[in-house]
Amino acid sequence: MPILVIAEHDNAGLKAATLPAVTAAARIGAHSGAEIHVLVAGSACTGAAQAAAAIAGVAKVLVADAPHYAEQTAENEAALAVQLAQGDGAYTHILAAATTHGRNMLPRVAALCDVAQISDIVAVESPDIFVRPIYAGNALATVKSTDVLKVITVRTTAFDAAGQGGAAAVEAIAPGPDLGLSRLVGRELTVSARPELAAARVIVAGGRGLASSENYHRLLEPLADRLGAALGASRAAVDAGFVPNDCQVGQTGKIVAPQLYIAIGISGAIQHLAGMRDSQVIVAINRDAEAPIFQVADYGLVGDLFKLVPELTEALG
Amino acid sequence: MKILVPVKRVIDYNVRVRVKADGSGVDLANVKMAMNPFDEIAVEEALRLREAGIASEVVALSAGTAACQETLRTAMALGADRAILVETEAELQPLAVARLLHAIVAREAPQLVILGKQAIDDDANQTGQMLAALLGWPQATFASKLLVANGRATVTREIDGGVETLEMPLPAVVTTDLRLNEPRYATLPNIMKAKKKPLEVFKPADLAVDVAPRLQTLGVAEPPPRHAGIRVADVAELVAKLKNEAKVI
Ligand SMILES: Cc1cc2nc3c(=O)[nH]c(=O)nc-3n(C[C@H](O)[C@H](O)[C@H](O)COP(=O)(O)OP(=O)(O)OC[C@H]3O[C@@H](n4cnc5c(N)ncnc54)[C@H](O)[C@@H]3O)c2cc1C
Ligand SMILES: Nc1ncnc2c1ncn2[C@@H]1O[C@H](COP(=O)(O)O)[C@@H](O)[C@H]1O
């Protein structure tokens, strides 16, 4: 029986988070020999469907094209996935990326199928055994599912992006009903010329130590420009309004694992570390030599950020 | 309108968690426990709706051992009118909690259930969505703003890439994000008053809910340790290390 991955997309194209979810599905498939199908539920979503068909390792793309999937609200998309899960070609596993989209929608699928959801897996041990972080990543639990259907969200930093070059069959499926439960009124997406946090090779992250939004932008943007970096932040910096909410890195924000993470004026609370401790190289700049961030930093620089950050930007010039 | 607020008793967010030597779980003996921080935000939001005259009653609910009474008393000290404990020694996973909540919603008929977006122990981020699905209700997760008027909720949600606003009829399920509000503190007089507020106790069997876990934990381990590296003396040394040693710039 096949494995289903629910695609995240904007109708025109696929979101990058879908690719590690396909890799996790392929790990499961490597044990069980199962085929991978991708569901694209959208409206005028041919672009997304074609992108899904081009992912290496995908056997079939199922496309449900209807106006009520345009915004991928949870209720309608979950209902459709449940229909597929319980239909003729029943699935053994349903996966989605552990993004705000997957976290929002997938537990509905699990509940309606009367099975558990396994959140945020970081490793596949077998088709029914998975590893997932708990307690802000301070512990890793190995869990075995006893359900017939496994519903799983995938931590995107823990799996490589699936490759390109596939040529999957694209099959239109009948849309499910429009439940009409919730309606999107508006969406305000942050526009930025910088790389996305989740995909960035380098992240420059700022915390409360920057003291104001003005300082945050004045000091960190030139540094990020030099490095081609994305901008991240601690919760304290987001709460204080230095940057929008989607810049928050941590247990309850974004999980990132860039090649280089530069933490500036961030103390290193466990909730923050949970989101960045898997970065390849961590640099910390903080005037408090005892700050916990130094316990995970590869290179620690103790001193006043107001002096050191401009110096660093200059040195990279 | 009645609001139901599920609150979970979890390890205090300041506690440094340790994995037990035998790998069977984390060590919860003698550690400080508290209300899940997202649930404090949920209680606060419900209280504000009552204070604004939109809600008439706020009912807190917790599922777990008898010790959860303490968490419920905290919710009542903050201002919840009464509380429900679904008492069990069994390990509760999100699906089981959602099914217990489903049964309580059938008895209490709230118009709004406000939960935390995630419990900081299991980091599951599932229960609210599962409850909404079982009820066939609309959901708005990760809320940073909630408006209730004329039988409808308008909710701003924190999503990857920004925010979005959904509108939905009540009854509905909402889960809280960090920036929805700043929870209040309980005052001493209110802590005293809370001791006299009603607290009803059920067992899962009273609600005819099977809470058997679906996931079996085979083991719990510490993540691979990350060691402190070196201190560099100045910016020049940092840049040299990043270029020549780490080779990341
Ligand atoms: C339920 C819950 C969830 C949470 N989720 C998250 C999350 O996802 N992400 C997150 O980040 N946090 C999260 N937090 C918050 C977390 O506990 C910390 O409060 C937060 O990370 C602190 O942010 P900070 O390091 O910027 O601020 P602080 O802890 O105040 O640290 C500021 C640092 O700046 C340094 N500094 C000040 N001035 C200077 C200067 N001039 N030069 C150099 N250094 C300076 C100080 O020495 C200090 O170390 C969560 C908390 C809770 C309760
Ligand atoms: N045992 C419980 N008792 C009461 N509420 C709970 C319980 N478990 C989870 N919840 C609620 O569900 C939310 C999400 O939890 P979780 O899905 O476990 O991350 C929490 O913030 C609580 O509001």
Side-chain angles (χ1 to χ4, degrees), chain A residues 104 114 142 146 185 279 297 299, chain B residues 139 141 165 214 218 226 229 245:
Chain A
N104 183 42
D114 193 29
T142 302
T146 57
V185 182
S279 304
Y299 303 107
Chain B
Q139 72 182 44
T141 53
T165 302
R214 305 297 185 81
L218 302 182
R226 180 151 198 141
E245 193 176 85

Side-chain angles (χ1 to χ4, degrees), chain B residues 72-173:
Chain B
L72 291 170
R73 292 285 170 209
T74 304
M76 290 190 286
L78 291 167
D81 297 289
R82 60 190 172 88
I84 299 170
L85 171 64
V86 182
E87 191 180 334
T88 171
E89 294 289 323
E91 177 199 343
L92 291 176
Q93 293 176 352
L95 180 63
V97 176
R99 296 180 64 190
L100 292 170
L101 290 170
H102 184 200
I104 294 289
V105 167
R107 304 173 80 103
E108 293 279 342
Q111 286 293 292
L112 195 56
V113 184
I114 311 181
L115 305 88
K117 84 162 175 183
Q118 116 189 29
I120 61 161
D121 51 3
D122 64 14
D123 283 333
N125 196 333
Q126 302 174 7
T127 308
Q129 297 89 310
M130 287 183 154
L131 173 65
L134 295 176
L135 290 163
W137 288 6
Q139 72 182 44
T141 53
F142 326 147
S144 61
K145 190 168 175 203
L146 169 61
L147 293 172
V148 177
N150 307 321
R152 303 184 78 81
T154 306
V155 188
T156 303
R157 313 178 48 232
E158 296 198 357
I159 57 168
D160 294 336
V163 291
E164 70 176 25
T165 302
L166 295 178
E167 201 214 33
M168 58 195 59
L170 300 181
V173 170

Side-chain angles (χ1 to χ4, degrees), chain A residues 39-90:
Chain A
L39 170 65
V40 176
S43 175
C45 55
T46 311
Q50 280 169 352
I55 304 173
V58 173
K60 200 195 300 186
V61 177
L62 306 174
V63 186
D65 198 324
H68 59 278
Y69 298 130
E71 313 297 347
Q72 293 166 70
T73 43
E75 298 88 346
N76 285 332
E77 194 176 37
L80 176 67
V82 171
Q83 263 181 25
L84 292 174
Q86 296 175 336
D88 299 336

Side-chain angles (χ1 to χ4, degrees), chain A residues 150-166:
Chain A
K150 281 95 180 143
V151 173
I152 297 167
T153 63
V154 177
R155 178 167 288 200
T156 56
T157 53
F159 296 88
D160 293 333
Q164 296 295 301

Side-chain angles (χ1 to χ4, degrees), chain A residues 206-210 233-237 248-254 264-272 285-288 291 303-306, chain B residues 13 36-38 120 178:
Chain A
R208 198 191 324 257
L210 284 145
S234 69
R235 174 193 172 184
Q248 181 177 314
V249 171
Q251 178 186 20
T252 58
K254 286 223 173 68
I264 300 172
I266 292 179
S267 61
I270 46 174
Q271 293 85 8
H272 188 79
I285 301 180
N286 197 304
R287 69 176 173 201
D288 172 9
D304 183 5
L305 69 89
F306 291 97
Chain B
Y13 79 96
N36 184 41
F38 288 98
I120 61 161
L178 293 170

